[in-house]
Amino acid sequence: MTDANRPLSVFDRPNSYVGKTVPRPNAKRLVQGRGRFVDDMVLPRMLHAAFVRSPYAHATIQSVDTSAAKDVSGVVAVFDGHRMQTLCEPWVGTLKHLAGLRSPPQYPLAVDAARWQGEPVAMVVATSRAVAEDACELIDVDYDERPAVADAESALDPDMPLVHAEFDSNLAWTRTVDAGDVDGAFVDPDVTVVEETFHFGRHTGVTLEARATLADYDPASDQLTVYYSGQAPHMMQAVFARHVGVPEANIRVISQDVGGSFGIKIHTYGDDMATVVVAKALRRPVKYVADRLESFVSDIHARDHRVRGRMAVTKDGKIAGLEIDDRTGVGPFSAYPRTSAIEANQVLNLTGGPYRIENYRARGEVVFQNKCMMSQYRAVGHPIACAVAEGLIEKAADAVGLDSVELRRRNVIPDDGYPCSSASGLKFADLSHEAALDRLVDLIDLDRLRHEQSELRAKGVYRGIGIAQFIELTNPSPMFYGIGGAPIAAQDGATVRLDPSGTIHVATSVTEQGQGTDTVMAQVAATAFGVSLDQVRVTTGDTGAVPYGGGTWGSRGAGIGGEAVYQAGRALRDNVLATAAAILQSSAGDLDIADGTVVDASGAERIALSELAKMVYYRGTELPNDLQPELVATRHFRVTDYPFVFTNGCQASYLEVDPDTGLVRLLDHWVVEDCGRVINPQLVDEQIRGGVVQGIGGALFEECLYSDDGQMLNANMADYLVPMAAEMPDITVAHIETPTSTSALGAKGAGEAGTAGAPAAVMNAINDALKPLGAKPLTTHPMTPQRILRALGKV
C-alpha cells in the first residue's frame, strides 16, 4: 500500500503531538540552591491566616481601616471584602431542580454589609497565627448596626426588615407536596384527627478536628495544591477552579484521615475560600485552622424547624391522611454548592415514609435570617421527619385506643409490597419494616418492660418506652445534585493494581473520616480479588491519586464506593487469571485465586501472584508474544435503577424521668436496622451507635441559643452541651439483611440511621414516662429539664 492510499491514523491528524518538537507542559526552570524559586526570589515559609468577624448579626460596613494592622511586624498582607472581590468570583447557592430557590452572590469576606454574627469581614496573613490574631485586633471596622431577623417564624411578616434589600421578602424557597384527597380525608366523620406542633433547636457538628485548609500555589506551573479537611475533594477541586481562577486539571485537593465531618465539611466556607485565594495571590503557602469559638459561629448549623402536623386515623387504626407545614430559617445565604433547601425538602419527602399513606400534603418554607448559615448535617431532615410522624403516631394510637406498636403494624408498607412509591414520590425497594418491627419487639422484650414500668410507677418511679420507625436515604443517584448543576459526582471510582510483591493497591474516591473507609474497602477488594487482608493497601482522598468520584456523604461510601472497588477487584481477578492461563497453558475457567496464589479446580497451587507479577513486570520474554497483561483495573459505579437506595429500621428508648428535677436518665437503647449486606459488623454497629449518640444530643442536650438580636449565646464548649459517654445508655444493635438489588455487593448505607430515629424514640419515651402525671406532650427539641418541668406545670 502506498503512502497516498494508507488510511489516516491518529498520528496523522492535525492535532497530533507525535513527531513534533513541543515545549514540555508545566516546565519548571531549575535553579541551584535551597527553596523554591520564582523570578529569582526564594518563597518564604508558610503564612498563617486569621479573620476579623462581625460582632453584629446585621450591620452596614461603613469602612474598614487596616492601616495599623499592616504596620505590625510579621504581617504580610491584609484583605477586606472589596479587595477580595477583585481576586475571587462569587458563588450562588442554588440548584436548578429546586425551582424558585434564590440566594444572592456571596464572597469570601463580607462586602458592604455583615449578615450574621461571625461572618468574616477582614483577613490578616502573617508569619504566625499569633501575629495574625494580634493584627486582627488592630483593624477598625466602622459598623452601622441594623435590625436583625432572628426568628424564622416571623421572618415573612410584612413589617420585618429584609436580610437582602434586593429581594421583596425574606423567602428563599417554598415547595408543596399534595397527593390524594387530603381535605376529604380530614373531614370524614369516621376519622379521628390529632394535631401537634414540633420545634427543633438548631445545632451543629462539633467535629473532633475543626475545619482546616492549607493552600500552596506554584506560579511556575500554575499548580494549586490544597490540603483540605473535608469530605468531597473532587467537588472542592471543581469549586476552586470555578472561583479562584486555576484550571481544574491544575488543582490537587488532598483530604486524608479527616477528623470527623458529619456533613458540615461538604460546604464552601468563606474563610476556607479566602485562604486558597490569598495563597494564589501572594504565591505563598497559607494555612488556616478554625478555633473552636470560630467554629460555633461559622460551621453550618442545622435542624432549626417548626413543623405543624396533623394526622387522620380511622376507627380500625388506618392512617387516612397526613398533613405537615414546615418552616425553617437557614441564615442569610443558601450554602454552596448543595444549597440550604435540601433539609426542608427532605422533611417534606420523608415524613411518614415507612407507612402506607395515600393522602398527604406537605408545605415547606425556607426563609432568610440573620443567624449562622444552615445546611446539610448528618441525617439531613431525617430526625425531623421521623419525630413528626412518630410523635403523631403515638398521639393517634392514644386517641383511637390502640397500642402504638399495633397501629404501626397496621400501617407500615408490607415486606412483600415492593417495589412501590410513597405519596411524596419516593421510590422504595428491598425494605423490611414488618420484620424490623417484629425483631425490635422481641429484642427489647416489650411485655417485660411494660410490666416493670407498671410496677415502678406504683412506687413513684417514672419510666418510659419510646419506639420509632424510620427510613434512611442512602446511595444517592445523579437525581440528587447532578441534575441541578452542582459539581457533585454521584459515581465513585476505584483502581485496583497488583504489584510485583503480590500486594494489591486500591485507590478509591471515597474519603476516610474515621468511619472505617480504608478497612471496608480493603475487605471488599480482598474478597473480590482473592487475597488476605494484609496484602491490600488503600489510598483515599487525593484527587491526584484516585479516580474521580463523589467522596463521602449521604451514606454512600460502602454502597457506591464499595461497589466500584468490588467491580474493579473482580475485573483485575479476570485479568490475572487470563494471564495465568496463558503462562500455565490452562483455561482461565479452571483457575481461581485463593490466599494470594493462583490455584486450579482441585485447590492445588499453580503459581504465586508475586511470581506471576514479576514475570509480567520484569521477565516479559517468558510470556507469549501475543499476551499484553493488564495487572490493573478501574471501574466506576453509580445507582441507576432508583433515585436513592433506602435503609429502614426501628429504634426503642427506655429511660427514667425525675419529675422533681426534670432530669432524664437513659437506661437502654435498641436499634434494628436493615442496611443490606453488612460488610464489617463492628464498624456498622459503631456507626449506628455513634449516630444514636448524635441523635440523643439533639433530643436532650444540643442547641445553638440565640438572643432576639441574633447573638449566639453559647458559642463555646462550656455552654454548648454535647452528649458525654457517662450519660449514654447501652446501645444494642441488631440487623435484618435485605441486600439492595441495585448492586452486586448489595450494601446500603448505615451512617445516618442512628441519628434519624433516636430523637423520636427518646421523645416518645419521655412522653410515655410523663403520661400518668398529666404532662403536656413534649415536642420541642432538645427536651431539657426546664422544658420537662414546664410541661409538668412546675415552672
Side-chain angles (χ1 to χ4, degrees):
M1 181 181 294
T2 64
D3 286 345
N5 295 327
R6 182 168 56 86
L8 188 68
S9 77
V10 66
F11 304 114
D12 298 314
R13 294 173 182 170
N15 62 350
S16 171
Y17 289 102
V18 176
K20 299 177 182 178
T21 301
V22 296
R24 182 164 60 90
N26 300 328
K28 298 181 181 180
R29 178 168 51 88
L30 298 179
V31 181
Q32 297 293 325
R34 300 176 61 188
R36 182 188 303 152
F37 284 75
V38 177
D39 298 329
D40 297 324
M41 294 177 58
V42 178
L43 288 181
R45 59 193 171 91
M46 181 173 66
L47 302 177
H48 298 262
F51 293 87
V52 174
R53 298 181 182 274
S54 172
Y56 302 107
H58 199 188
T60 299
I61 300 173
Q62 305 287 7
S63 64
V64 180
D65 184 354
T66 63
S67 56
K70 291 177 180 177
D71 291 338
V72 174
S73 177
V75 169
V76 175
V78 182
F79 299 83
D80 63 8
H82 287 286
R83 187 178 178 190
M84 190 64 68
Q85 268 186 308
T86 67
L87 301 172
C88 177
E89 292 294 323
W91 55 87
V92 178
T94 60
L95 290 170
K96 290 184 291 187
H97 65 306
L98 298 178
L101 175 62
R102 62 181 181 177
S103 186
Q106 187 178 2
Y107 286 93
L109 302 180
V111 179
D112 296 331
R115 292 183 171 86
W116 84 86
Q117 176 216 4
E119 183 175 11
V121 173
M123 175 186 189
V124 175
V125 183
T127 53
S128 74
R129 174 67 179 253
V131 170
E133 289 182 347
D134 288 346
C136 283
E137 296 292 327
L138 301 177
I139 294 178
D140 184 14
V141 183
D142 183 9
Y143 297 98
D144 180 12
E145 188 176 5
R146 301 177 60 189
V149 180
D151 179 28
E153 194 68 19
S154 60
L156 298 182
D157 291 354
D159 59 343
M160 290 300 291
L162 295 176
V163 176
H164 300 286
E166 63 268 36
F167 291 160
D168 59 350
S169 74
N170 290 321
L171 182 66
W173 185 67
T174 185
R175 178 194 172 209
T176 299
V177 177
D178 205 337
D181 182 10
V182 177
D183 293 333
F186 280 94
V187 298
D188 187 332
D190 293 327
V191 303
T192 299
V193 177
V194 295
E195 301 183 41
E196 193 58 80
T197 299
F198 301 82
H199 291 91
F200 301 88
R202 60 162 59 207
H203 48 283
T204 188
V206 196
T207 56
L208 183 64
E209 175 190 42
R211 288 185 297 108
T213 300
L214 193 163
D216 184 12
Y217 177 68
D218 184 348
S221 58
D222 194 25
Q223 296 282 331
L224 175 65
T225 302
V226 183
Y227 293 87
Y228 181 74
S229 176
Q231 302 173 231
H234 280 108
M235 181 195 82
M236 292 310 301
Q237 181 187 41
V239 166
F240 293 142
R242 289 184 179 188
H243 302 284
V244 179
V246 177
E248 187 170 347
N250 290 13
I251 300 175
R252 181 183 181 190
V253 179
I254 302 171
S255 301
Q256 294 177 331
D257 293 329
V258 175
S261 296
F262 312 129
I264 72 163
K265 295 180 180 178
I266 51 173
H267 310 287
T268 301
Y269 291 94
D271 43 26
D272 290 329
M273 186 66 79
T275 302
V276 177
V277 169
V278 168
K280 178 173 182 274
L282 298 180
R283 301 184 175 190
R284 295 171 66 170
V286 179
K287 177 182 179 180
Y288 168 68
V289 179
D291 65 32
R292 195 60 70 178
L293 298 180
E294 289 180 297
S295 293
F296 275 111
V297 294
S298 61
D299 292 356
I300 62 100
H301 296 175
R303 311 275 204 262
D304 189 0
H305 289 250
R306 181 274 299 146
V307 184
R308 297 191 184 102
R310 61 177 185 153
M311 179 178 286
V313 183
T314 65
K315 294 177 181 178
D316 60 351
K318 295 294 181 67
I319 299 174
L322 176 63
E323 183 174 15
I324 66 168
D325 180 89
D326 176 28
R327 178 174 289 188
T328 178
V330 296
F333 298 95
S334 175
Y336 178 75
R338 294 168 188 261
T339 84
S340 295
I342 294 295
E343 186 170 67
N345 199 47
Q346 299 278 73
V347 172
L348 305 190
N349 287 336
L350 296 171
T351 301
Y355 304 104
R356 293 171 291 179
I357 302 174
E358 295 181 0
N359 304 308
Y360 177 64
R361 180 183 295 141
R363 182 168 185 261
E365 290 177 316
V366 176
V367 300
F368 294 120
Q369 58 182 172
N370 296 114
K371 291 182 179 179
C372 185
M373 290 166 58
M374 286 213 325
S375 194
Q376 284 85 315
Y377 167 59
R378 191 176 194 175
V380 185
H382 292 64
I384 298 157
C386 183
V388 169
E390 296 302 306
L392 291 172
I393 285 280
E394 292 290 333
K395 197 165 188 177
D398 286 344
V400 298
L402 274 177
D403 179 80
S404 64
V405 172
E406 179 59 28
L407 186 67
R408 290 180 174 90
R409 284 197 173 111
R410 295 185 185 186
N411 288 280
V412 293
I413 301 171
D415 293 355
D416 60 359
Y418 299 100
C420 67
S421 297
S422 71
S424 64
L426 297 176
K427 295 182 178 181
F428 297 136
D430 310 318
L431 300 181
S432 57
H433 291 298
E434 291 177 315
L437 183 57
D438 290 344
R439 180 71 186 279
L440 182 75
V441 170
D442 290 341
L443 187 68
I444 69 176
D445 196 351
L446 183 57
D447 291 340
R448 179 191 63 80
L449 284 185
R450 287 294 185 201
H451 180 71
E452 178 179 283
Q453 178 189 44
S454 178
E455 287 188 334
L456 289 172
R457 278 180 179 174
K459 299 176 182 178
V461 177
Y462 296 94
R463 291 186 175 182
I465 304 162
I467 291 175
Q469 290 197 266
F470 63 87
I471 54 174
E472 177 196 0
L473 183 155
T474 79
N475 299 2
S477 76
M479 295 294 291
F480 202 1
Y481 289 116
I483 63 169
I488 301 169
Q491 66 165 19
D492 269 301
T495 296
V496 183
R497 184 189 79 245
L498 177 66
D499 75 7
S501 70
T503 299
I504 61 171
H505 293 260
V506 178
T508 171
S509 52
V510 179
T511 53
E512 175 63 84
Q513 298 150 172
Q515 77 276 46
T517 291
D518 289 3
T519 300
V520 169
M521 296 306 156
Q523 286 181 267
V524 172
T527 302
F529 183 67
V531 294
S532 60
L533 203 57
D534 61 356
Q535 289 179 279
V536 183
R537 302 292 181 268
V538 178
T539 298
T540 62
D542 184 346
T543 62
V546 304
Y548 204 94
T552 298
W553 50 272
S555 295
R556 63 190 302 280
I560 296 180
E563 180 68 17
V565 170
Y566 178 80
Q567 293 186 9
R570 297 300 290 178
L572 177 61
R573 175 184 176 278
D574 292 343
N575 292 350
V576 168
L577 291 180
T579 301
I583 294 171
L584 300 172
Q585 299 182 357
S586 179
S587 168
D590 295 331
L591 300 174
D592 199 357
I593 300 173
D595 297 327
T597 301
V598 176
V599 299
D600 61 20
S602 69
E605 297 183 0
R606 298 297 306 275
I607 185 172
L609 289 177
S610 58
E611 179 61 20
L612 180 146
K614 288 182 175 66
M615 288 180 65
V616 170
Y617 290 126
Y618 305 150
R619 307 194 307 272
T621 55
E622 299 178 16
L623 303 176
N625 289 336
D626 60 349
L627 181 66
Q628 293 289 347
E630 288 286 348
L631 301 190
V632 61
T634 298
R635 293 292 184 271
H636 287 79
F637 177 75
R638 74 185 193 282
V639 173
T640 57
D641 300 324
Y642 293 87
F644 310 100
V645 173
F646 281 92
T647 289
N648 74 274
C650 303
Q651 294 191 34
S653 173
Y654 188 44
L655 52 78
E656 183 178 308
V657 181
D658 185 337
D660 295 323
T661 64
L663 292 173
V664 174
R665 184 162 68 98
L666 300 166
L667 302 172
D668 281 295
H669 199 98
W670 299 267
V671 182
V672 175
E673 185 183 28
D674 186 345
C675 61
R677 178 166 285 113
V678 176
I679 298 171
N680 185 310
Q682 184 176 10
L683 285 177
V684 170
D685 288 359
E686 296 312 317
Q687 275 281 293
I688 293 170
R689 289 189 177 99
V692 167
V693 169
Q694 279 192 292
I696 290 173
L700 297 179
F701 303 105
E702 298 186 56
E703 185 173 17
C704 298
L705 298 172
Y706 275 85
S707 66
D708 291 341
D709 58 354
Q711 295 288 314
M712 187 172 173
L713 303 175
N714 60 333
N716 58 77
M717 292 301 294
D719 298 320
Y720 182 93
L721 302 182
V722 295
M724 306 293 284
E727 299 158 338
M728 292 301 100
D730 288 338
I731 302 171
T732 303
V733 180
H735 295 278
I736 306 291
E737 290 195 47
T738 309
T740 173
S741 56
T742 61
S743 68
L745 194 58
K748 308 171 188 176
E752 298 169 280
T755 309
V762 170
M763 176 186 70
N764 287 342
I766 289 175
N767 287 325
D768 184 51
L770 298 180
K771 195 176 297 183
L773 298 175
K776 181 181 178 182
L778 273 117
T779 55
T780 296
H781 297 218
M783 291 160 281
T784 61
Q786 185 179 25
R787 286 172 176 153
I788 290 174
L789 292 176
R790 187 179 298 125
L792 289 166
K794 296 187 175 182
V795 293

